[in-house]
Amino acid sequence: MVESKSEHIDHVFHALAHPARRAILQRIARGEQSITELAAPFDMSLEAVSKHVQVLERARLLDRTRAGRAYRCRFRPAPLRDAAKILSELAGLWGRQLDGLEKLLLELERRS
Amino acid sequence: MVESKSEHIDHVFHALAHPARRAILQRIARGEQSITELAAPFDMSLEAVSKHVQVLERARLLDRTRAGRAYRCRFRPAPLRDAAKILSELAGLWGRQLDGLEKLLLELERRS
DNA sequence: GCGACACTCAACAAAACGGTTGACAGTCAT
DNA sequence: ATGACTGTCAACCGTTTTGTTGAGTGTCGC
């Protein structure tokens, strides 16, 4: 069950393509949250939110560890760097100075 | 048939989540191409490629104008700026120096 | 131990996706 | 006018997505 690099970036963009998932990412980017906490603002079943979390996990944008009966969901920014790189490439920004976003995402990655 | 801003960014990320569509974008980023030309490298029917082009069009990443019997497909980078902004925000890079990518995408937009 | 809590799993359903094929409609070249 | 070329439309197919419910599992507090 290997996952090619191409498959992974597909998962990342797919994960970002849903407003609920982007909202979840915004929340955990500000601090770890349990699934129940993440579900609270949504007019959606807990199970639905759980599935969104799984999609984010598949994209490796989210990390979950068990903490008692709850899960602690943690933001993992690394794949954003890959996504940003593709946007840069598409914008034709090859080799120019503008890889600032990439550099900063790498920095964030180092500090985590 | 209005399209909310949120719907639009959904379309953008969705469009980017398929390797064939990213390949199409790479090609037209280097120059306009007809649909038949775009289809050539793919092991896929012309109709399938035509549908991918429609998805890119919905995301406003692609612009098509009729030129005789063919269509001229043109790259439209503007939505990449919105996508990059979301990545920046998620990376928690608010207000820091690192909006280089955004600035350059805006510049690209201005020049088109 | 008992119940409330935090989730997952399994099954289902509706809609969207990604692809095919066949028929059709303009447009260009002769 | 004919025919080749470029592409769409409509129908269909199987799979994935996105959501629902209901039942089940493990954990915490008392």
Side-chain angles (χ1 to χ4, degrees):
Chain A
M1 218 178 89
V2 263
E3 181 187 73
S4 82
K5 196 153 190 178
S6 162
E7 277 168 14
H8 177 232
I9 193 65
D10 292 354
H11 290 334
V12 174
F13 281 122
H14 171 72
L16 292 167
H18 194 292
R21 288 191 292 260
R22 290 195 303 273
I24 288 173
L25 287 181
Q26 281 186 23
R27 309 257 311 285
I28 61 173
R30 294 170 181 277
E32 301 180 0
Q33 300 236 282
S34 73
I35 295 184
T36 302
E37 285 168 343
L38 287 174
F42 294 108
D43 184 19
M44 202 189 299
S45 70
L46 179 67
E47 173 71 2
V49 173
S50 174
K51 285 186 181 177
H52 282 303
V53 166
Q54 286 173 47
V55 170
L56 291 167
E57 210 175 5
R58 182 178 64 173
R60 288 178 242 164
L61 285 162
L62 184 151
D63 198 90
R64 61 206 311 200
T65 53
R66 197 92 197 227
R69 54 187 163 183
Y71 282 95
R72 287 173 38 231
C73 298
R74 195 148 151 265
F75 182 47
R76 310 264 51 215
L80 295 181
R81 178 170 57 83
D82 306 324
K85 188 173 179 183
I86 285 175
L87 299 189
S88 298
E89 289 174 0
L90 278 176
L93 307 176
W94 294 90
R96 297 220 258 153
Q97 83 279 15
L98 53 103
D99 293 282
L101 175 57
E102 266 185 81
K103 280 187 212 152
L104 280 152
L105 284 163
L106 273 167
E107 166 70 6
L108 269 187
E109 207 176 342
R110 189 187 60 71
R111 283 188 304 199
S112 71
Chain B
M1 213 175 97
V2 262
E3 181 186 74
S4 81
K5 197 153 189 177
S6 162
E7 276 169 13
H8 177 232
I9 194 66
D10 293 354
H11 291 334
V12 173
F13 281 121
H14 171 73
L16 292 168
H18 194 292
R21 287 191 293 258
R22 291 195 302 274
I24 288 173
L25 286 181
Q26 280 185 25
R27 309 258 310 287
I28 60 172
R30 294 169 182 278
E32 302 180 0
Q33 300 237 283
S34 74
I35 296 186
T36 302
E37 284 168 344
L38 286 173
F42 294 109
D43 185 19
M44 201 187 302
S45 69
L46 179 67
E47 172 71 1
V49 173
S50 174
K51 284 187 181 177
H52 283 304
V53 166
Q54 286 174 48
V55 171
L56 291 167
E57 210 175 4
R58 182 179 64 172
R60 288 177 242 163
L61 285 162
L62 185 149
D63 197 270
R64 62 210 305 206
T65 52
R66 199 93 197 227
R69 52 187 164 186
Y71 282 96
R72 287 173 39 229
C73 298
R74 195 148 150 263
F75 182 45
R76 309 264 52 211
L80 295 181
R81 177 169 57 85
D82 306 323
K85 187 174 180 182
I86 285 176
L87 299 190
S88 297
E89 288 173 1
L90 278 176
L93 306 176
W94 295 90
R96 297 220 257 152
Q97 81 280 12
L98 53 102
D99 293 282
L101 174 56
E102 265 184 82
K103 280 187 213 153
L104 280 151
L105 284 163
L106 272 167
E107 167 68 9
L108 270 187
E109 207 176 342
R110 190 187 60 71
R111 281 188 305 199
S112 70

